[in-house]
Amino acid sequence: MTVTLADVAARARVSPATVSRVLNGNYPVAASTRERVLRAVDDLDYVLNGPASSLAAATSDLVGILVNDIADPFFGIMAGAAQTEIGGPGDGSGRAGGEKLAVVCNTGGSPERELTYLTLLQRQRAAAVVLTGGAVEDPVHQAAVSAKLAKLADAGTRVVLCGRPPLPDGEAVVAALAFDNRGGGRRLTEHLLSLGHRRIGYVAGPLERTTTRHRLEGHRDAMRAAGLLGGGTGAAGLSGGGTGATGRPTDGYDEERLTVHGPYDRRSGYDATLELLRREPEVTAIVAANDTVALGACAAVRDRGLRIPEDISVAGFDDLPFSVDAVPALTTVRLPLFEAGARAGRLAMGKETPPPGGIATIAAELMVRGSTAPPRA
Amino acid sequence: MTVTLADVAARARVSPATVSRVLNGNYPVAASTRERVLRAVDDLDYVLNGPASSLAAATSDLVGILVNDIADPFFGIMAGAAQTEIGGPGDGSGRAGGEKLAVVCNTGGSPERELTYLTLLQRQRAAAVVLTGGAVEDPVHQAAVSAKLAKLADAGTRVVLCGRPPLPDGEAVVAALAFDNRGGGRRLTEHLLSLGHRRIGYVAGPLERTTTRHRLEGHRDAMRAAGLLGGGTGAAGLSGGGTGATGRPTDGYDEERLTVHGPYDRRSGYDATLELLRREPEVTAIVAANDTVALGACAAVRDRGLRIPEDISVAGFDDLPFSVDAVPALTTVRLPLFEAGARAGRLAMGKETPPPGGIATIAAELMVRGSTAPPRA
DNA sequence: CTGTTAGCGCATTCAA
DNA sequence: TTGAATGCGCTAACAG
């Protein structure tokens, strides 16, 4: 029925071992022999049995790329870039040579699914795993992930983090590429402050994610430096692992009042912005957790009959492709998603040497566009 | 070193076969025995060896979802929905029970990569494969894909098409869910015609894709019905397999003049729109191949100092989430991407019976919003 | 309901 | 440079 290595060997009049060596290419084989084997492969339309191969070799050519939301270009861009580096150029023959199979796994932001996927990849003896995007800060889950990654690394799987902060004990990881979310958030708010804004609303992401926290901390750092916040440290409002930040009415009054949390989607931006405008009609600027949320914020501002940026400035984060097409074009913070993804892919393939200490921080660049302007006098 | 089934069996004081049966759950096992085995699994932190399992069972739990562009929400939404149905709810334990491993593979729209991924999935003995989005119409490639899918089906892989037209000989396929691109395109243009538009520019997708052709055909059907096109059949300008449509100056004059092809991205929409405005300054409406392209078109229109919709109407296709947030909100054609993806996922899992004949056409709904209006008098 | 027995198809020793 | 032999870890008959 199904063609096996042995069939190819018989047809090429060589031993199975020789066929294996030709196919894997990592062993000297006479040119004429190779020729014969390759012809037999084509004649028989032979396709290697992946599981058998992986079983014998104790490793597979699967590379997993975990994303929080596959429908979000933020992840799509990184994953696509990583895949470019991992999948190889393809020889165009469709014969599938030594390439890896780069596959993206959608966790939907769920810690359970993240763990499940890691187990599944572990089960497959994946060659490498790339985790993209912010992590959930629940200590239990973080410990579980760390443990799982350690086991994966133990079994020879290369683990790379992309757009995610390093693990507490980064030993299990080949490399961590972290975005400078905090710096970006700070510069964005500094920009608004320099325009003259003082009452700035913040539509934050889900509470328990690192990305959310870092961007918000950057924002508050800037606010504090401008003397617009009570005392306390930068992380004050969110310290303690992010399980809740509703306390601290004393020095966190403005913070709490001017911050609303929600998922990283358009709807959340819309709703949160309406809420902010209700709570504090005097806000002159809204900073959103990311560009998608910012789009929702813009819609809400408009629906309230306010103009952007004349009445209210709006800013986002990420600089996704659509942001430049918003009307007015969105002021945001550019993250080099494609470059980071590609680098993560190379790191996963061992095609690039890891940064010193295994950790690299990737700069975030402020992009000033039409959606921000000085507040009305 | 690494824990195997035998180790678990020894610890639970049962035979390896029993452990296997417990893990796969598809066989009666005494509750007490199961209990003991499960405990041993946890104690030993055992993880099934996927390749070994797949080899012995001659099938794996991999399900591949092929997409043309992972950074495009059009695909992300479908893939995410499919994954939801395939991956199962996950039992939350991270232990990974009988779920399938749904993975998305990014072909980047390249026929070679599509074939390579199919081979890779064939090699892995994938349980199912879902192909999303339009196909490339090159006959050679189509034949190669058909042949490959037939082999996959032969080997027991369930093949599902989602948002892709049925294969010429659909035998290899469990089901094909095709979008009514043609009908959607027609209704969209009819809407513009009913508003009074007569000179309508069309920013089409890449020439050789089915999606491009069907949407364009719908547009031309409507134009022809309104007597705005020369003779010929609907597919006239693109007949012959899409290898080129530059001929036919006789009855295709306006068609060619008012159509520009390009990739499905924002940049293409921008450039093509400028080109259209240059060729034919009298156009009063621009129809774009999809929403992303439409966004680029809007930008171009604006950069030329024209207002939407007062000076020029713009319309898209797909109704991606951001389209409602465009300013003005984009008139477009809604495709139930999530529902279609979910259904494809269920079909791939055998959780839903295929439509009669294996083919279902999914309706496209016109969404009239602010970006279209009657032309200036 | 559970144990025993054979492979699944390939990569890799070790010889030649 | 090539061939022969062995086992990777598991599932699927078949008994019991």
Side-chain angles (χ1 to χ4, degrees):
Chain A
M1 244 304 286
T2 155
V3 183
T4 75
L5 232 201
D7 300 329
V8 176
R11 187 169 229 277
R13 320 181 114 270
V14 296
S15 74
T18 300
V19 177
S20 172
R21 294 196 261 251
V22 169
L23 261 28
N24 290 308
N26 44 15
Y27 214 83
V29 174
S32 65
T33 309
R34 155 183 284 103
E35 191 63 25
R36 216 146 22 98
V37 169
L38 254 21
R39 189 192 337 287
V41 166
D42 275 353
D43 288 350
L44 265 32
D45 211 21
Y46 169 70
V47 175
L48 190 69
N49 184 316
S53 169
S54 298
L55 173 58
T59 172
S60 83
D61 52 6
L62 249 195
V63 175
I65 303 172
L66 268 63
V67 302
N68 286 341
D69 182 2
I70 198 177
D72 185 339
F74 175 82
F75 293 100
I77 291 170
M78 282 193 290
Q83 225 164 4
T84 305
E85 296 289 339
I86 292 167
D91 62 355
S93 74
R95 208 193 289 112
E99 309 93 343
K100 304 291 184 190
L101 208 206
V103 299
V104 0
C105 307
N106 186 31
T107 67
S110 146
E112 291 78 26
R113 286 183 65 80
E114 178 168 278
L115 237 24
T116 301
Y117 268 121
L118 287 176
T119 301
L120 252 14
L121 288 165
Q122 177 183 14
R123 179 185 288 191
Q124 300 296 330
R125 308 307 193 244
V129 170
V130 178
L131 299 169
T132 65
V136 169
E137 293 202 295
D138 171 54
V140 173
H141 177 246
Q142 270 189 323
V145 169
S146 285
K148 185 60 91 180
L149 293 183
K151 269 173 220 138
L152 278 163
D154 250 28
T157 298
R158 300 175 63 86
V159 178
V160 175
L161 270 30
C162 180
R164 172 182 290 232
L167 261 41
D169 56 343
E171 303 312 324
V173 163
V174 168
L177 307 179
F179 293 130
D180 182 19
N181 283 311
R182 187 160 179 159
R186 183 170 44 69
R187 283 190 293 282
L188 179 57
T189 295
E190 284 170 353
H191 157 69
L192 290 169
L193 291 169
S194 77
L195 287 174
H197 293 277
R198 286 300 173 268
R199 299 201 77 72
I200 303 177
Y202 194 98
V203 182
L207 245 192
E208 70 284 4
R209 306 207 83 91
T210 52
T211 310
T212 299
R213 182 164 63 79
H214 293 151
R215 291 179 184 182
L216 183 48
E217 284 176 10
H219 167 69
R220 290 185 176 168
D221 286 350
M223 295 297 277
R224 187 173 319 97
L228 295 170
L229 233 56
T233 67
L238 276 173
S239 62
T243 55
T246 51
R248 304 185 165 266
T250 49
D251 67 350
Y253 180 70
D254 271 336
E255 292 178 27
E256 304 308 332
R257 185 172 163 76
L258 289 174
T259 303
V260 178
H261 285 272
Y264 281 118
D265 61 28
R266 185 253 173 200
R267 173 63 182 267
S268 161
Y270 187 91
D271 293 345
T273 299
L274 289 185
E275 169 68 15
L276 282 173
L277 292 173
R278 199 181 54 68
R279 279 194 204 167
E280 180 56 72
E282 303 295 304
V283 292
T284 60
I286 304 258
V287 176
N290 72 14
D291 289 352
T292 304
V293 173
L295 235 48
C298 288
V301 167
R302 261 188 217 99
D303 284 0
R304 284 290 300 269
L306 300 168
R307 290 163 305 162
I308 303 169
E310 291 82 355
D311 300 317
I312 292 202
S313 289
V314 176
F317 209 112
D318 293 344
D319 195 24
L320 295 186
F322 60 73
S323 303
V324 70
D325 284 323
V327 181
L330 201 60
T331 290
T332 185
V333 176
R334 162 163 257 278
L335 253 27
L337 299 174
F338 189 93
E339 294 77 0
R343 188 169 171 197
R346 288 194 299 272
L347 252 6
M349 298 295 284
K351 292 199 290 189
E352 179 173 322
T353 60
I359 298 178
T361 298
I362 296 180
E365 181 192 0
L366 178 64
M367 306 294 287
V368 176
R369 295 202 272 246
S371 69
T372 51
R376 298 168 69 85
Chain B
M1 241 307 284
T2 154
V3 183
T4 75
L5 233 199
D7 299 330
V8 176
R11 187 169 228 276
R13 319 181 114 270
V14 296
S15 74
T18 300
V19 178
S20 172
R21 296 196 262 252
V22 169
L23 261 27
N24 291 306
N26 44 13
Y27 217 83
V29 174
S32 65
T33 309
R34 153 181 286 102
E35 192 62 26
R36 214 145 25 95
V37 169
L38 255 19
R39 187 189 341 285
V41 166
D42 276 353
D43 289 350
L44 265 33
D45 210 20
Y46 169 69
V47 175
L48 189 68
N49 183 315
S53 168
S54 298
L55 174 57
T59 172
S60 82
D61 52 5
L62 248 197
V63 175
I65 303 172
L66 268 60
V67 301
N68 287 340
D69 182 3
I70 198 177
D72 184 339
F74 174 82
F75 293 101
I77 291 169
M78 282 193 291
Q83 224 163 5
T84 306
E85 296 290 340
I86 293 167
D91 62 355
S93 74
R95 205 194 290 112
E99 310 94 343
K100 304 289 181 190
L101 208 207
V103 299
V104 359
C105 309
N106 185 30
T107 67
S110 145
E112 291 77 29
R113 286 183 66 80
E114 179 168 275
L115 238 21
T116 301
Y117 268 121
L118 286 176
T119 300
L120 253 14
L121 289 165
Q122 179 183 13
R123 181 184 285 188
Q124 301 295 331
R125 305 307 191 246
V129 170
V130 178
L131 299 169
T132 66
V136 168
E137 293 204 295
D138 172 52
V140 173
H141 177 245
Q142 270 188 323
V145 169
S146 284
K148 184 63 88 182
L149 292 182
K151 268 173 221 139
L152 279 162
D154 250 28
T157 299
R158 299 175 63 86
V159 179
V160 176
L161 270 30
C162 180
R164 171 182 291 231
L167 260 42
D169 57 343
E171 302 313 323
V173 162
V174 168
L177 307 178
F179 292 130
D180 182 18
N181 283 309
R182 187 161 178 157
R186 182 169 46 69
R187 283 190 291 282
L188 179 57
T189 295
E190 285 169 353
H191 157 69
L192 290 170
L193 290 169
S194 77
L195 287 174
H197 293 276
R198 287 302 173 266
R199 299 201 76 72
I200 303 176
Y202 194 98
V203 182
L207 244 192
E208 69 284 2
R209 307 206 83 92
T210 52
T211 311
T212 299
R213 181 163 65 79
H214 293 152
R215 291 179 183 180
L216 184 47
E217 285 177 9
H219 167 70
R220 290 185 175 169
D221 286 350
M223 294 297 277
R224 186 172 319 96
L228 294 169
L229 232 56
T233 69
L238 275 173
S239 63
T243 55
T246 50
R248 303 188 166 264
T250 50
D251 67 349
Y253 180 72
D254 271 336
E255 294 179 26
E256 303 308 331
R257 185 173 164 78
L258 290 174
T259 304
V260 177
H261 286 272
Y264 280 119
D265 60 29
R266 185 252 172 203
R267 173 64 182 267
S268 161
Y270 188 91
D271 293 345
T273 300
L274 289 185
E275 169 67 14
L276 282 172
L277 292 173
R278 198 180 54 68
R279 279 194 204 167
E280 180 57 71
E282 303 295 304
V283 292
T284 60
I286 303 260
V287 176
N290 73 13
D291 288 353
T292 305
V293 172
L295 236 50
C298 288
V301 167
R302 263 189 215 96
D303 285 0
R304 284 288 302 268
L306 300 168
R307 291 163 304 163
I308 302 170
E310 292 83 355
D311 299 316
I312 291 203
S313 289
V314 176
F317 210 111
D318 293 344
D319 195 23
L320 295 186
F322 61 74
S323 303
V324 71
D325 282 324
V327 180
L330 201 59
T331 290
T332 185
V333 176
R334 163 162 257 278
L335 254 26
L337 298 174
F338 189 92
E339 294 77 1
R343 188 168 170 200
R346 288 192 300 272
L347 253 6
M349 298 295 284
K351 293 199 289 189
E352 179 174 321
T353 60
I359 298 179
T361 298
I362 296 179
E365 181 192 1
L366 178 64
M367 306 295 286
V368 176
R369 295 202 272 247
S371 69
T372 51
R376 299 168 67 87

